[in-house]
Amino acid sequence: MTPEKCYQQCIHADCRATFGVDQVLVACPRCGDLLDVVYDWSKVAVPAKLAVFAARWASRDNPLDFSGVWRFRELLDFCDDRHRVTLGEGQTLLQRNDRLAPYVGVKPGGLYLQYEGLNPSGSFKDNGMAAAFSHARMVGATRVACASTGNTSASLALYAAHCGTRAVVFVGSGRIAFGKLAQALEYGARTLQIAGDFDACMRRVKEATARCGLYLVNSVNPFRLEGQKTIMYRVLEGLGWQVPDWVVAPGGNLGNSSAFGKAFAELKELGLIDRVPRLAVINATGADTLDRLVNEKKLTWNGGHYDRQAIADDWAWQDATGRRPHTIASAIEIARPVNAAKCLRALAVCDGVVRSVSDADILNARAQVGRCGLGCEPASAASVAGAKLLVAQGVIDPAARVVCVLTGHPLKDPDAAVGYHTGQYPKGKEVPGERLYANMPIPVADDIDAICAAVEREA
Ligand SMILES: *Cc1c(COP(=O)(O)O)cnc(C)c1O
Ligand SMILES: [Zn+2]
């Protein structure tokens, strides 16, 4: 078969089966592995220079040019313009943050925060959802579903509301952050609270997809990951098309890190960049599957011949030992990351490393991000805590240019923030460890002398 301009392909080197982009698949029908969207670049009109993409941003009257996803459309050219869905996603910020740099341990001028909390639903997921909904429209899907720790459901619900598509979201009972649940309900998604954790929801939504004919937008959907590549295009754009030394991202289901690796591999192949950055993927210690697979079990991509059995064995070991993920960073509270294999590939492409950070480190880092002027939800701060750890370990050079991806908005999880500052966590969210930057509210009598005394008091 002659490949088209764009097709789906199984990632495993022993299989490599190809399928058309008009097919709706969440796994390779032949071997069950993950699928990629692959382009025949000789058939795509990719601009010779990345700067062409930035120039489009000025034309605010064309929603596709204004979108932080679709102004890069030649780099994810799997559908026609008439299918492309946009809500104005990707108007995000790469902020040089000299105040946070000393906390991380890099020199002022070296630390950048890619703030994806500015997306329409408040997390990076909107980048992926714009792409997934475009594919859904292309194939005529009418009911869209996901399993979610929260942000995927918020994003799905918003895009479904925008497109007039029916939405069903599967969330684990009691685990979802309040801001995210509020969004799913507010945007009108049918919200199923499954009695189980995220991994249980993921299993069930896959079964339901097959049985009830739902279009699945979890990150096993390869079209969704195409949208998330653009986060890295915007990082490069924010740096004047220079490549940073490090990109540091939290790792949950590992869709983002996988998409970042694919983005850099493709840009390099196209000759649009001359080197790739190094990638650090940061787990929470309570959900550290990738860390274990890479650092203990020494799993590698191995040119696509990665050890599938080792991953299956780890899942079986989790079952046998009754191991359950637990972290306050609910967005990365995932023990069976569906994109583990693609993440191994990204680590190979970007000479990557994996680390875990504790909940206490995550929350202290999150409080620092807040004090230094942006704020983020707990999972996002794993990137900052991870960068700090890697500098301390001598892996990241203090003189390096480091980009930490802030994946979600601070208001997504107000319980975690108020809990940290007051010490009064909601049940099940207590976090051990020192709250180094707690900012306690001060009770004051309704009395002007007492108020002025409180205003003047030394911190
Ligand atoms: C989904 C999510 C993550 C995890 O991203 P993966 O692509 O699943 O690794 C991290 N942070 C936030 C805020 C998220 O919503
Ligand atoms: Zn296959």
Side-chain angles (χ1 to χ4, degrees):
M1 181 184 111
T2 338
E4 308 288 327
K5 172 172 96 176
C6 176
Y7 50 98
Q8 302 186 71
Q9 184 168 44
C10 176
I11 65 164
H12 202 278
D14 291 341
C15 179
R16 293 268 182 230
T18 62
F19 310 91
V21 287
D22 54 342
Q23 293 200 49
V24 179
L25 301 166
V26 294
C28 172
R30 196 198 282 173
C31 78
D33 215 319
L34 296 163
L35 295 167
D36 256 342
V37 180
V38 178
Y39 306 91
D40 178 349
W41 295 114
S42 70
K43 295 181 180 146
V44 182
V46 179
K49 276 194 164 165
L50 285 166
V52 171
F53 297 116
R56 285 182 183 155
W57 206 3
S59 55
R60 297 192 62 125
D61 52 343
N62 179 352
L64 292 182
D65 280 352
F66 185 61
S67 163
V69 169
W70 295 119
R71 66 195 152 88
F72 299 100
R73 53 192 169 267
E74 288 86 352
L75 298 172
L76 55 155
D77 198 12
F78 60 80
C79 64
D80 298 333
D81 276 2
R82 70 197 157 92
H83 297 129
R84 290 188 172 119
V85 172
T86 179
L87 267 176
E89 59 288 323
Q91 308 307 325
T92 61
L93 177 70
L94 181 75
Q95 186 200 61
R96 189 180 117 182
N97 196 318
D98 290 352
R99 295 191 56 219
L100 191 63
Y103 178 73
V104 171
V106 300
K107 292 200 177 127
L111 182 70
Y112 291 77
L113 303 173
Q114 175 65 20
Y115 185 36
E116 290 295 312
L118 288 176
N119 274 294
S121 84
S123 84
F124 77 81
K125 300 292 197 302
D126 294 347
N127 295 283
M129 223 45 81
F133 269 78
S134 300
H135 185 250
R137 181 182 279 181
M138 172 180 158
V139 299
T142 55
R143 269 198 312 190
V144 173
C146 72
S148 180
T149 61
N151 280 332
T152 305
S153 57
S155 182
L156 173 151
L158 178 58
Y159 277 81
H162 173 77
C163 296
T165 311
R166 286 205 286 165
V168 190
V169 305
F170 291 51
V171 299
S173 54
R175 310 294 319 161
I176 185 172
F178 230 56
K180 306 175 189 183
L181 180 60
Q183 287 179 289
L185 300 174
E186 188 76 1
Y187 300 138
R190 176 165 297 184
T191 303
L192 308 182
Q193 291 190 296
I194 310 294
D197 61 11
F198 173 80
D199 298 297
C201 292
M202 191 69 228
R203 216 162 27 236
R204 293 301 185 193
V205 80
K206 278 188 184 166
E207 289 171 21
T209 298
R211 200 188 295 182
C212 325
L214 304 168
Y215 181 93
L216 188 65
V217 297
N218 277 99
S219 52
V220 288
N221 180 323
F223 297 95
R224 193 183 119 187
L225 295 192
E226 291 304 288
Q228 290 171 214
K229 295 191 301 191
T230 65
I231 301 167
M232 289 300 111
Y233 304 154
R234 298 196 301 272
V235 163
L236 297 179
E237 186 176 51
L239 294 173
W241 308 110
Q242 289 178 356
V243 178
D245 298 307
W246 283 91
V247 170
V248 189
N253 240 339
L254 306 176
N256 235 6
S257 42
S258 299
F260 298 171
K262 188 170 188 281
F264 288 121
E266 289 173 348
L267 290 179
K268 183 94 194 319
E269 186 191 338
L270 285 163
L272 290 168
I273 54 174
D274 53 11
R275 67 183 180 94
V276 299
R278 295 193 68 188
L279 176 67
V281 184
I282 312 300
N283 277 164
T285 46
D288 61 349
T289 303
L290 184 72
D291 186 3
R292 184 169 61 250
L293 292 176
V294 168
N295 294 319
E296 273 176 43
K297 308 210 169 139
K298 306 289 178 203
L299 224 68
T300 63
W301 172 241
N302 193 22
H305 296 279
Y306 77 94
D307 186 352
R308 284 199 261 210
Q309 190 57 45
I311 295 179
D313 289 348
D314 190 89
W315 279 205
W317 170 78
Q318 291 184 37
D319 281 339
T321 55
R323 204 179 159 93
R324 291 274 171 274
H326 191 82
T327 167
I328 190 139
S330 55
I332 53 173
E333 190 177 56
I334 294 172
R336 296 153 194 258
V338 296
N339 288 297
K342 283 188 177 177
C343 184
L344 293 177
R345 180 175 65 184
L347 294 169
V349 167
C350 297
D351 188 16
V353 299
V354 180
R355 294 291 184 274
S356 297
V357 291
S358 70
D359 280 9
D361 289 347
I362 286 172
L363 290 183
N364 284 322
R366 196 194 52 81
Q368 280 293 307
V369 174
R371 283 197 181 191
C372 294
L374 275 179
C376 62
E377 66 166 282
S380 313
S383 63
V384 174
K388 181 177 169 62
L389 175 67
L390 287 162
V391 172
Q393 291 178 339
V395 178
I396 293 182
D397 185 329
R401 181 133 69 155
V402 181
V403 176
C404 292
V405 182
L406 299 184
T407 46
H409 197 279
L411 293 177
K412 289 283 192 174
D413 196 348
D415 286 345
V418 175
Y420 176 87
H421 291 293
T422 62
Q424 287 157 15
Y425 290 97
K427 202 168 166 300
K429 286 200 169 184
E430 301 81 7
V431 174
E434 242 183 308
R435 299 179 294 116
L436 293 173
Y437 313 107
N439 180 24
M440 286 283 279
I442 303 163
V444 186
D446 183 10
D447 170 85
I448 191 63
D449 293 331
I451 289 169
C452 289
V455 169
E456 300 297 342
R457 203 170 74 195
E458 292 291 324

